[in-house]
Amino acid sequence: GFVFDSDGHIVTNQHVVEGASTVEVAFSSGFKAYGTVVGSDSDADIAVIKVDAPAEELRPLTIGDSDTLQVGQTVVAIGNPFGLSGTMTLGIVSGLGRTQRSSVAASGGFFSTADIIQTDAAINPGNSGGPLFNLNGEVIGVNQSIRTENVDAATGNAVNSGVAFAISINLVKRVAPVLIRDGKFEYPYLGISSNSDLGLDEVEALGLPQFTGAYVVGVVDGGPADQAGIRAGTSPTNIPGLNAGGDLIVALDGNPVITFDDLLSYLITSKSPGDTITLTV
């Protein structure tokens, strides 16, 4: 984790502190103290710890702006891989605006968390919750997870494959203050499921006028999208399980939607429950 403010709040991953109410916090100076988990969010995988520590130990990191990141930009990850404290690794931003499945929705589908940074900086078990920096020393993400097909037979730990993920700091900037205040964070919700990056055969089968956008394949009954009149496909096509006639969302509040990931990233980082948005379909 890392010091978020001078009040003693520390940001880490929810999965790091899952099941705990009190944790031990070790500072790089050697000082140690018990901390209390004041709030956590399993969807964004963010938690906040409050620790009582001398002022000289509480040096908040400089928070950056993850919206300014570009693919290819150099980043630095800090963490404790395999218990090796204060380890620094170097890489680049490999991708932006990634999404991951998070929790099960009431309708039986899945919520997705968005605005995730992909990096090839070496991240391993123990890096979770550590900061991801740009070369100005600004935190632009929170190291979270890796994707790999390889598992260490001796330990059962996943092995770094060069595909790692960090939660964008702009999402953290929205979630962490609310966790500090309320202990939980409520996400904006449209109530749709979508297919992104459709293949040419699917675009042709659906009769879509363009290749980009978020095609609506499901709408939750009574949800915000349903109340607004957003439609899912109902007419069978020559592709099993793919129905034509659904809306193709091409912009959200005037911002182009190239893929469903774009829609989710804008929604989660820019909107709150109760806000009104305009969809272009």
Side-chain angles (χ1 to χ4, degrees), residues 219-275:
V219 177
V220 176
D221 289 340
D226 186 32
Q227 294 177 46
I230 299 297
R231 299 173 300 178
T234 56
S235 303
T237 66
N238 61 348
I239 299 176
L242 184 65
N243 293 331
D247 285 329
L248 180 70
I249 301 171
V250 297
L252 191 64
D253 285 345
N255 299 287
V257 172
I258 305 301
T259 68
F260 188 47
D261 290 358
D262 297 326
L263 183 151
L264 283 176
S265 291
Y266 175 81
L267 187 71
I268 289 174
T269 59
S270 304
K271 296 298 173 180
S272 300
D275 287 351

Side-chain angles (χ1 to χ4, degrees), residues 97-114:
R98 303 300 194 201
T99 59
Q100 289 182 353
R101 178 180 289 185
S102 56
S103 61
V104 178
S107 62
F110 285 87
F111 285 118
S112 295
T113 185

Side-chain angles (χ1 to χ4, degrees), residues 138-261:
E138 299 167 332
V139 183
I140 47 82
V142 179
N143 305 323
Q144 185 211 23
S145 61
I146 59 175
R147 179 170 294 176
T148 182
E149 302 296 326
N150 301 315
V151 176
D152 188 296
T155 64
N157 287 325
V159 178
N160 173 56
S161 62
V163 179
F165 300 102
I167 305 153
S168 77
I169 200 62
N170 284 11
L171 180 56
V172 175
K173 285 191 285 190
R174 282 181 62 82
V175 173
V178 179
L179 292 180
I180 292 169
R181 186 188 68 207
D182 301 333
K184 62 179 182 178
F185 184 84
E186 299 292 342
Y187 283 89
Y189 164 70
L190 292 184
I192 63 172
S193 53
S194 170
N195 277 3
S196 263
D197 196 21
L198 297 169
L200 283 174
D201 56 340
E202 294 170 312
V203 171
E204 292 171 356
L206 293 170
L208 298 180
Q210 62 186 66
F211 305 111
T212 57
Y215 180 72
V216 180
V217 297
V219 177
V220 176
D221 289 340
D226 186 32
Q227 294 177 46
I230 299 297
R231 299 173 300 178
T234 56
S235 303
T237 66
N238 61 348
I239 299 176
L242 184 65
N243 293 331
D247 285 329
L248 180 70
I249 301 171
V250 297
L252 191 64
D253 285 345
N255 299 287
V257 172
I258 305 301
T259 68
F260 188 47
D261 290 358

